[in-house]
Amino acid sequence: MNNEVLMKNLRSIQDFPVKGINFRDVTTLFKSHECLEIMLEELYEIYKDKGITKIVGIESRGFIMASALAVKLGAGIVLCRKPGKLPAETIQESYTKEYGTDTIEIHKDAIDENDVVLLHDDLLATGGTMKAAYNLVNKFNPKQIYVNFIIEISDEGLHGRDIFDPGTDITTLISV
């Protein structure tokens, strides 16, 4: 989609967090009312007819648009967090990262087989966290799972989309 206003407001920071990385800073989009409104309307247009019942926001930047969109779609929100952050019984999924392993979890009673779920996060780079979230949500056997990111990085040789099974419904608002 690459809306001109969003592209103009997206900040890039060279050599962050390490030398050689061109970090895409989504916070510049969040601080602008105009950008928030554009992102919410674009997300709403994509998902308004999909029957979404739950939106899973991935810690932590994924919580922001997931919450706003959930209200607009009349859906609930489920938090996908690092271990120890959720108070009730959870299920977990571990995954491998470049520098080790990590784990995410959601409440055991968050989703059921009647749900249509949208997974949302801010950025698709290598895709590891979202793939783990996808696998975690899939354990609940929902009717359908959709995946969305605000930004997809495709200009730096990253192929985050490729780790998902063919046919996985993945959308992004910005591709850089």
Side-chain angles (χ1 to χ4, degrees):
M1 295 180 149
N2 285 5
N3 177 286
E4 185 178 321
V5 173
L6 299 181
M7 295 298 290
K8 185 177 87 177
N9 282 278
L10 180 62
R11 177 170 44 199
S12 293
I13 302 171
Q14 293 295 323
D15 299 322
F16 182 83
V18 296
K19 190 168 179 61
I21 300 294
N22 183 16
F23 185 80
R24 297 318 198 285
D25 182 12
V26 73
T27 65
T28 55
L29 301 178
F30 293 154
K31 74 178 184 177
S32 162
H33 173 266
E34 182 182 19
C35 290
L36 281 169
E37 190 169 36
I38 290 167
M39 290 186 295
L40 182 57
E41 287 307 313
E42 287 188 3
L43 288 168
Y44 179 73
E45 286 302 314
I46 294 168
Y47 294 106
K48 68 183 179 184
D49 297 322
K50 305 283 189 191
I52 305 294
T53 59
K54 301 277 175 60
I55 301 178
V56 176
I58 311 300
E59 187 168 332
S60 65
R61 290 179 298 259
F63 297 165
I64 297 165
M65 293 309 298
S67 297
L69 184 59
V71 170
K72 192 157 175 100
L73 290 175
I77 185 162
V78 174
L79 303 182
C80 183
R81 304 218 52 197
K82 294 177 181 172
K85 303 285 187 174
L86 295 171
E89 191 174 356
T90 63
I91 63 169
Q92 298 183 334
E93 181 78 16
S94 293
Y95 59 102
T96 304
K97 295 167 53 168
E98 303 138 283
Y99 47 86
T101 61
D102 212 344
T103 302
I104 54 173
E105 60 185 21
I106 61 177
H107 281 135
K108 205 171 198 174
D109 62 354
I111 298 168
D112 65 45
E113 68 263 356
N114 294 314
D115 283 316
V116 175
V117 178
L118 170 61
L119 291 156
H120 173 77
D121 204 359
D122 66 324
L123 183 84
L124 173 58
T126 62
T129 303
M130 183 60 86
K131 179 64 167 142
Y134 183 90
N135 292 343
L136 184 58
V137 168
N138 209 31
K139 292 177 182 179
F140 291 96
N141 297 312
K143 287 182 183 177
Q144 176 75 39
I145 302 173
Y146 297 96
V147 177
N148 173 263
F149 300 91
I150 295 172
I151 303 166
E152 179 175 6
I153 298 177
S154 55
D155 67 350
E156 296 174 13
L158 300 173
H159 303 282
R161 236 175 231 269
D162 296 346
I163 69 169
F164 291 89
D165 296 331
T168 303
D169 190 313
I170 301 172
T171 60
T172 60
L173 299 183
I174 299 171
S175 182
V176 294

